Amino acid sequence: MARYIGKEMSRVDGFAKVTGRAKYAAEFKVPNLAYGFIVTSTIGKGTIRSIDTTEASRAPGVIGVLTHENYPKPAPPAAPELKPEENRNVRDKSFRALVSNQIFFNMQPIALVLAESFEQARYAARLVRATYNEEKPMTDLESSLDKARLANPSRPPRPRGNPTEAFAAAPVKVEAEYTIPIEHHNPMEPHGAIAFWEGDKLTVFDKSQGVYVVRQHLATSFHIPPENVQVISPFVGGAFGSALRPNYYPALTAMAARVIQRPVKVVYTRQQMFTGHGYRPHTWQKVSLAAERSGKLTALIHDSKNNSSSFEDYVENTTGMPRTLYACPNALTSAQFVHTDMSTPAPMRAPGAVSGMFALECAMDELAYALQIDPLELRLINFTDVDPDSGKPYSSKALRECYRLGAEKFGWSKRNPEPRSMRDGRLLVGWGMATGIWGAFQQPASARVALKSDGTAHVSSATADIGPGTYTVMTLIAAEYLGLNAEKVKFELGDTRFPRAPVQGGSFTTASVGSAIYEAAQNIRQKLMDLANKEASSPFKTAKIEDTELLDGKLVLKGSSQSVDIFALMRRNNLPELVDVHEARPSREREKYATGAHGAQFVEVKVDPATGVVQVTRAIEVTACGKIMNPKTSHSQEIGGVVWGIGMALQEATEVDHRYGRIMNPNLQHYHVPVSADIHEIETMFVEEDDKVVNPLGVKGMGELGMVGIPAAIANAVFHATGKRIRDLPITPDKLL
Ligand code: MOS
């Protein structure tokens, strides 16, 4: 009987967060702190001709001004690669501040003013004068689609079957283009760092999704061993992918601290966040779908092109997951990028998948209308239990049950398929649905578990908690498998002093770090059994380790009343603690299967025909993502995903003035995200899967999955309500009038 797994647990860090006791990167107290304020460029491309810091340097409280002219050499290497074990997904070719006079994007940092107070630094920053040799920036993806390239030309897209022929021969087909603007993560907490040096040892408090990645980046930047760098990031006020990479400010902050030989703090303004940490790229897609009259898909051709910066080849895996969703014998998908004079994009919640599934799932809705088949029925006709690319069976895929449960709860059978047929007074009512898909990833991760003879446990891993409830779920897993009350377990994260863990990303943290804690707890149990068996009275002499469990401070022989008090046992052996440091890795068994997480979403919109305003009045999301460890925080994840999907569908867009390559709405007044008044009924449900192939805990990713199908479901509902097919996000009133 699980005591914690599957039961609701409130956040163990909740009290610290609401009382302000939880410390975020920029809140740490460091004596003799100087404040840095970033000055950014006013042009989008070219070179700095001159930069005059005289007046700024004379302003009250100013300690110094860093520019490319006095930035110490050697500058960081231009494009070092991380060792593969650092993280497969994060390669360090990132933009470095102040290393040259070149301007790659508008609002690029050109100076850092250092002063005794933040206000003095900010004031003086306005006195820095730069002149430029200006060139015309190119920032518009859609005018340069012909320049799109593959990130890896040696691996061109591989077709499944013969998609071109199949498409030409099919009796029913749809073909359409879909566009998604640049979107920004906009977490509440601005990115920031505090850095100080003690000799050649560097300590940095940073807002980060992965302290080891930042550590490596800083070690490379300063040509010092990684062991000389400590990165600390215990709390993160939202990140969503924007703190996966090191970004430019930690190295800049550390360099400033080295130059003035004082601790330095640098925090982005909201505006600086729009060029300081990446964004969901502007994405153009074309989807061609063909089917037999029965609804069986015969061809899928899906092209995606997104913008990157001029100095990195960032390509979203927009088409990878969509191509595996349906049983379609012929498929060709490709994802390319276009160099633009913008900062480099970054993963943003459900990167690639949510963009690709917006296009595919809208196209599926268009196909359903072309076939006159119910959109849900069309998906069931093309359901597959095997990955159509590899032919491998899914380790679990309870998507059919998600469809069934969602449709039943929503009342989908009462839908009149005719557009504009349903009304609520003067409002047009639309019902739409879509599928969601995400991976069930696991990455190598390690944890340290220390069981103490005083009845407590200390557990640590250098993972992050960007909000999903990692502190809580890791405490829960440790308590469950050490057989302790959760109050007796202390879990710590976000520090390079703890064992290595991957970035918190890809929704793989519980699968990866949770497995490490689970397996370490098993090792501790084995150690306890070995200790017990040294004593004559041990009830485990003939037992196997599987016959035992840890429960209420005892090692118990399952199904019997025989047990040993583990803390008394440790004390008898003069062991104040038993420690296991363990790395968990994906199993071999996984390779025999396809793995993934899936979901179904059903939404109702009401559209005001006079104003074009869309409200999402009801959303039901049913997801199948393995075992649910903590329903309380898990539902929060999925609700958050739905809310984000509403924002993506109806509101979010970073507007670029292509004449200057400048972002025009870098603030929360003009970059719209949903507020409480935009959110109505949201119901999230789980169909639990029993899947021991994905990892020993049977958990899959859920944080990104929760938003994947939502934008398409909303766009499909808007079509149903209005008869207008909007293929360009966000669906703002002007597009409907
Ligand atoms: Mo997530 S976009 O992998 O932080």
Side-chain angles (χ1 to χ4, degrees):
M1 247 315 262
R3 295 188 310 156
Y4 290 111
I5 288 180
K7 299 186 181 153
E8 299 216 326
M9 186 187 277
S10 293
R11 289 174 189 263
V12 296
D13 52 340
F15 188 78
K17 279 186 165 174
V18 299
T19 54
R21 207 178 285 169
K23 274 216 172 71
Y24 295 79
E27 296 182 322
F28 282 85
K29 295 273 175 283
V30 177
N32 198 27
L33 187 67
Y35 296 80
F37 195 92
I38 298 162
V39 183
T40 58
S41 73
T42 54
I43 67 158
K45 187 182 184 183
T47 50
I48 301 168
R49 191 163 59 222
S50 69
I51 188 155
D52 183 355
T53 60
T54 323
E55 204 185 335
S57 302
R58 284 194 205 121
V62 171
I63 303 160
V65 183
L66 271 181
T67 69
H68 71 278
E69 292 180 342
N70 62 0
Y71 198 79
K73 305 285 183 281
E81 297 263 338
L82 285 186
K83 285 187 242 115
E85 66 268 23
E86 287 299 330
N87 191 301
R88 293 189 287 115
N89 301 320
V90 183
R91 278 176 314 191
D92 193 355
K93 292 182 186 174
S94 50
F95 169 78
R96 307 292 185 127
L98 312 189
V99 296
S100 83
N101 68 343
Q102 262 197 288
I103 299 296
F104 299 101
F105 52 89
N106 212 321
M107 285 202 283
Q108 174 183 319
I110 58 166
L112 181 72
V113 178
L114 296 153
E116 297 293 341
S117 76
F118 173 78
E119 290 75 14
Q120 288 170 330
R122 184 174 59 178
Y123 172 75
R126 303 192 59 166
L127 305 175
V128 175
R129 312 259 176 257
T131 62
Y132 302 94
N133 296 315
E134 193 172 351
E135 294 166 44
K136 174 112 186 83
M138 197 296 286
T139 52
D140 185 15
L141 170 82
E142 288 178 60
S143 68
S144 310
L145 292 172
D146 56 324
K147 299 205 178 67
R149 301 204 260 128
L150 292 166
N152 189 351
S154 67
R155 289 180 61 192
R158 275 196 320 182
R160 180 163 87 219
N162 196 334
T164 321
E165 249 172 52
F167 187 77
V172 184
K173 41 193 137 184
V174 295
E175 191 161 47
E177 294 177 12
Y178 302 87
T179 46
I180 297 167
I182 287 177
E183 297 163 5
H184 275 80
H185 312 72
N186 277 308
M188 279 202 286
E189 181 201 16
H191 294 52
I194 295 171
F196 62 89
W197 293 82
E198 290 157 305
D200 62 350
K201 289 209 165 35
L202 172 63
T203 304
V204 175
F205 298 97
D206 186 21
K207 165 176 179 158
S208 173
Q209 290 175 249
V211 287
Y212 273 84
V213 173
V214 177
R215 183 176 84 153
Q216 183 61 44
H217 171 83
L218 292 169
T220 313
S221 300
F222 292 96
H223 307 276
I224 54 177
E227 301 73 48
N228 284 17
V229 184
Q230 187 186 355
V231 180
I232 302 161
S233 183
F235 288 97
V236 172
F240 316 110
S242 66
L244 283 172
R245 297 178 54 158
N247 298 316
Y248 70 74
Y249 67 88
L252 180 63
T253 309
M255 184 60 96
R258 206 174 76 172
V259 170
I260 66 168
Q261 307 218 340
R262 277 176 68 170
V264 171
K265 166 152 81 178
V266 175
V267 180
Y268 285 162
T269 62
R270 180 62 55 180
Q271 185 181 64
Q272 288 164 356
M273 290 168 78
F274 278 75
T275 58
H277 62 51
Y279 51 87
R280 194 190 303 286
H282 186 174
T283 306
W284 170 96
Q285 296 175 76
K286 183 175 173 185
V287 178
S288 311
L289 287 178
E292 294 166 5
R293 293 206 189 280
S294 65
K296 276 207 90 49
L297 285 169
T298 56
L300 158 66
I301 303 172
H302 186 174
D303 289 321
S304 167
K305 300 175 184 188
N306 68 261
N307 85 292
S308 185
S309 62
S310 60
F311 50 92
E312 284 183 284
D313 302 351
Y314 182 92
V315 58
E316 289 252 295
N317 184 10
T318 314
T319 56
M321 288 184 197
R323 83 178 257 152
T324 66
L325 182 55
Y326 296 116
C328 176
N330 306 294
L332 180 61
T333 63
S334 85
Q336 298 176 297
F337 74 94
V338 176
H339 282 305
T340 60
D341 297 310
M342 300 286 294
S343 63
T344 308
M348 178 163 139
R349 198 172 191 173
V354 70
S355 303
M357 289 293 284
F358 166 65
L360 177 66
E361 288 296 275
C362 286
M364 284 293 281
D365 202 66
E366 302 197 33
L367 183 65
Y369 276 93
L371 289 162
Q372 298 194 312
I373 293 177
D374 176 80
L376 173 56
E377 183 60 26
L378 179 63
R379 280 145 175 109
L380 290 169
I381 290 170
N382 292 289
F383 183 88
T384 177
D385 272 320
V386 300
D387 171 2
D389 274 329
S390 67
K392 290 178 186 175
Y394 278 96
S395 61
S396 58
K397 183 178 174 183
L399 177 58
R400 275 182 194 280
E401 182 58 13
C402 295
Y403 287 138
R404 191 200 63 73
L405 186 61
E408 181 193 298
K409 287 271 174 188
F410 190 84
W412 185 256
S413 61
K414 295 193 212 67
R415 178 178 181 266
N416 177 345
E418 189 62 37
R420 301 182 76 90
S421 62
M422 294 167 66
R423 283 182 186 258
D424 173 11
R426 64 189 185 86
L427 300 177
L428 300 166
V429 176
W431 288 2
M433 61 84 57
T435 315
I437 183 170
W438 189 251
F441 305 118
Q442 183 185 355
Q443 297 228 346
S446 35
R448 180 181 188 272
V449 175
L451 181 69
K452 298 177 192 254
S453 60
D454 67 0
T456 65
H458 184 265
V459 181
S460 58
S461 172
T463 181
D465 187 350
I466 62 177
T470 307
Y471 276 106
T472 310
V473 77
M474 298 309 164
T475 303
L476 179 159
I477 291 166
E480 179 78 35
Y481 292 105
L482 292 173
L484 301 180
N485 278 327
E487 299 76 41
K488 299 287 183 191
V489 176
K490 183 172 172 63
F491 174 72
E492 289 191 281
L493 53 71
D495 193 321
T496 48
R497 284 176 307 182
F498 301 143
R500 179 184 294 266
V503 291
Q504 175 154 78
S507 301
F508 51 61
T509 300
T510 306
S512 307
V513 180
S515 293
I517 294 173
Y518 166 79
E519 289 172 13
Q522 304 304 304
N523 294 343
I524 298 261
R525 182 156 57 100
Q526 179 72 59
K527 288 176 196 188
L528 287 165
M529 184 161 129
D530 294 345
L531 275 184
N533 280 344
K534 288 201 289 184
E535 299 180 346
S537 61
S538 171
F540 312 113
K541 289 265 154 97
T542 58
K544 297 202 202 76
I545 185 73
E546 309 86 81
D547 302 332
T548 66
E549 64 184 329
L550 289 170
L551 201 61
D552 296 331
K554 295 188 181 70
L555 182 64
V556 181
L557 192 60
K558 277 190 210 166
S560 82
S561 57
Q562 291 181 295
S563 67
V564 166
D565 181 316
I566 57 177
F567 303 113
L569 176 67
M570 287 169 72
R571 286 192 295 267
R572 283 200 296 279
N573 284 274
N574 289 319
L575 287 170
E577 60 176 17
L578 270 178
V579 177
D580 195 73
V581 181
H582 177 79
E583 184 188 59
R585 298 187 151 267
S587 72
R588 277 279 168 79
E589 185 70 5
R590 273 180 70 106
E591 291 161 25
K592 299 184 200 151
Y593 294 89
T595 55
H598 298 85
Q601 13 275 319
F602 297 83
V603 304
E604 174 185 87
V605 299
K606 291 186 180 168
V607 184
D608 188 326
T611 63
V613 169
V614 179
Q615 292 179 82
V616 178
T617 45
R618 209 149 61 87
I620 291 186
E621 170 166 279
V622 190
T623 47
C625 38
K627 177 83 199 155
I628 301 305
M629 305 301 278
N630 182 3
K632 195 169 187 176
T633 45
S634 298
H635 281 292
S636 286
Q637 282 283 291
E638 303 309 66
I639 292 165
V642 174
V643 170
W644 200 317
I646 292 171
M648 181 168 180
L650 301 178
Q651 300 179 349
E652 294 195 44
T654 298
E655 311 279 358
V656 180
D657 185 331
H658 296 302
R659 293 172 301 171
Y660 310 107
R662 192 168 176 89
I663 293 170
M664 300 311 288
N665 59 341
N667 55 66
L668 289 175
Q669 182 186 5
H670 298 125
Y671 184 99
H672 292 171
V673 295
V675 296
S676 293
D678 298 315
I679 301 305
H680 303 276
E681 261 183 69
I682 296 175
E683 191 174 352
T684 59
M685 284 174 283
F686 296 107
V687 176
E688 288 210 36
E689 296 165 319
D690 184 16
D691 186 338
K692 287 288 151 46
V693 171
V694 283
N695 52 67
L697 296 170
V699 297
K700 298 179 177 178
M702 61 164 59
E704 323 210 46
L705 174 67
M707 83 170 290
V708 172
I710 296 291
I714 292 171
N716 295 339
V718 168
F719 173 76
H720 183 230
T722 65
K724 283 198 180 162
R725 186 64 75 176
I726 308 298
R727 303 184 182 90
D728 176 44
L729 292 183
I731 304 170
T732 43
D734 53 303
K735 294 175 187 171
L736 287 172
L737 288 177

